[in-house]
Amino acid sequence: MPESRFEALKLELLEGGVAPVYIARTLLELAEHYTDLEQDALAAGLSREEAARAAIEALGSERQIAAAVLARPGLREWSVRYPRVAHCVRSATTIGLIPGMPVMFCIEHRPELARWAAAVMAAATFIGAILTWLDWMIFVPA
């Protein structure tokens, strides 16, 4: 069976909401069945092309396979089967993660923040020195 046919079936199943683990299992089983059917046809005396065509015909069309898999709702991802629950879980997760984002940013950008803090401290020291010098220059004893 041509690899592009498997890829098209894989994409159709993904768009249908089937869990990736079931897609991988289905494609593996299809590949094994195709190999077995092709080997049987070759053993029966068919040419390589005829054996491939016979194996494809025996497996059925891509639409039939996809329809058979999509007809089983238990193979779909839980977020496809229960969209409202999935939406609530995503929202709660997002709301729970928002307070931790600044902490994660600071952990991720430690070197940049250290350079920024050093630059701010150096600038504050320099400005403080200038202001102290100006204050000392205009200080008039009474």
Side-chain angles (χ1 to χ4, degrees):
M1 181 172 275
E3 197 63 36
S4 62
R5 183 168 177 180
F6 279 137
E7 193 62 34
L9 178 62
K10 178 181 179 181
L11 291 175
E12 187 172 347
L13 293 177
L14 279 172
E15 288 173 1
V18 178
V21 67
Y22 295 121
I23 293 173
R25 185 182 305 160
T26 301
L27 294 179
L28 179 64
E29 288 181 18
L30 281 173
E32 290 174 357
H33 288 307
Y34 174 78
T35 304
D36 292 341
L37 290 169
E38 188 178 38
Q39 293 300 322
D40 291 344
L42 287 172
L46 296 175
S47 68
R48 171 79 63 198
E49 294 81 23
E50 291 173 340
R53 196 173 18 253
I56 290 172
E57 289 175 13
L59 278 179
S61 74
E62 178 182 337
R63 291 197 185 271
Q64 291 171 335
I65 296 168
V69 173
L70 292 173
R72 298 183 58 197
L75 299 179
R76 296 199 177 167
E77 292 186 280
W78 71 271
S79 60
V80 174
R81 286 185 280 163
Y82 310 106
R84 287 185 181 173
V85 174
H87 180 69
C88 291
V89 168
R90 282 188 208 115
S91 298
T93 303
T94 302
I95 291 169
L97 291 177
I98 286 174
M101 290 300 185
V103 174
M104 295 300 292
F105 179 83
C106 292
I107 290 171
E108 181 73 24
H109 299 284
R110 283 189 308 249
E112 294 89 351
L113 290 173
R115 285 194 301 266
W116 179 81
V120 167
M121 288 176 32
T125 303
F126 181 71
I127 296 298
I130 289 175
L131 291 175
T132 303
W133 180 71
L134 286 174
D135 189 42
W136 181 72
M137 294 294 287
I138 61 171
F139 178 71
V140 180

